[in-house]
Amino acid sequence: MSLELKITTALKEAMKSKNQTALTALRAVKSAILLHKTQKSSNGELSQEDEMKLLQKLVKQRKDSADIYIGQGRNDLADPELKEAEFIQQFLPKALSEDEVKDVVKSVIEEIGADGMKDMGKVMGISTKKLMGKADGKMISTIVREFLS
C-alpha cells in the first residue's frame, strides 16, 4: 500500500474519531505529497525513497519548531508539534538504536576503506542511503565523525 493511500485511510479515521492532532499532521503530509507530485522535476510519482525523505523532513520540521518553542518557554505551542511529529513517525520504518547505526556505519567504513575525515562525505553518502528512514541524519553524522576522527 502506497504512502498516499495509507495517509488517506488514516485521514478518514482521524476525521471519524475527531482527532485534531492527527488531522493536522495527516493534512500536512497529504499536502507535502501533493506538492511533491506537482513539482516540475517530479514525474507525478512518489518513490519509496522520496516518501521517506518527505516524512523525515516533516518530522524534523516539527521537532525543530518544538525546540524553538521550548527555548522560548512556550510549552503550550511545543506540545502539539511534538505530538504531530510522533504521529507522522508512525508511517516511517522503526528507528534503529544507536548501537545498530554504529554497526552499519562501521561496516560502511570497512567496506570503502575510509581512514580519516577526508572520507566523511563518502561514508555519509553510503550510510545515509542504507539507513534511509531508519535513523536521523544528525545521529549518523555524529557517529561517522566519532569513527573517523
Side-chain angles (χ1 to χ4, degrees):
M1 181 185 268
S2 75
L3 176 65
E4 195 169 7
L5 288 173
K6 288 180 186 176
I7 296 298
T8 303
T9 305
L11 194 57
K12 288 176 186 174
E13 290 299 317
M15 284 179 184
K16 287 178 184 175
S17 66
K18 295 182 178 25
N19 183 343
Q20 289 301 314
T21 303
L23 275 172
T24 306
L26 291 167
R27 285 180 176 145
V29 173
K30 189 161 179 94
S31 172
I33 290 170
L34 290 173
L35 280 172
H36 181 80
K37 289 175 96 174
T38 57
Q39 286 179 341
K40 288 183 181 176
S41 61
S42 174
N43 60 356
E45 294 295 316
L46 195 64
S47 70
Q48 197 159 11
E49 186 176 323
D50 290 337
E51 290 174 354
M52 292 300 122
K53 285 180 183 177
L54 191 128
L55 290 173
Q56 285 178 323
K57 178 182 172 186
L58 292 171
V59 169
K60 185 178 183 327
Q61 285 174 342
R62 273 144 189 80
K63 285 184 177 180
D64 290 347
S65 295
D67 288 343
I68 292 169
Y69 290 141
I70 290 170
Q72 295 173 344
R74 296 294 309 263
N75 290 341
D76 59 317
L77 296 173
D79 290 340
E81 293 288 338
L82 291 172
K83 287 178 184 172
E84 285 179 30
E86 202 174 292
F87 192 82
I88 295 170
Q89 281 180 320
Q90 294 176 6
F91 297 97
L92 285 168
K94 184 182 176 296
L96 298 176
S97 70
E98 191 171 338
D99 291 335
E100 292 170 317
V101 174
K102 283 182 179 181
D103 291 341
V104 171
V105 170
K106 200 179 292 185
S107 71
V108 169
I109 290 172
E110 291 170 3
E111 182 181 309
I112 65 170
D115 62 348
M117 288 303 286
K118 68 182 187 321
D119 294 324
M120 183 166 176
K122 291 179 191 174
V123 174
M124 279 298 296
I126 296 170
S127 298
T128 304
K129 282 185 179 174
K130 284 188 174 186
L131 297 168
M132 178 65 63
K134 298 176 186 168
D136 180 44
K138 191 181 272 186
M139 180 196 299
I140 297 170
S141 175
T142 304
I143 291 170
V144 169
R145 285 181 195 277
E146 179 184 313
F147 283 133
L148 293 180
S149 59

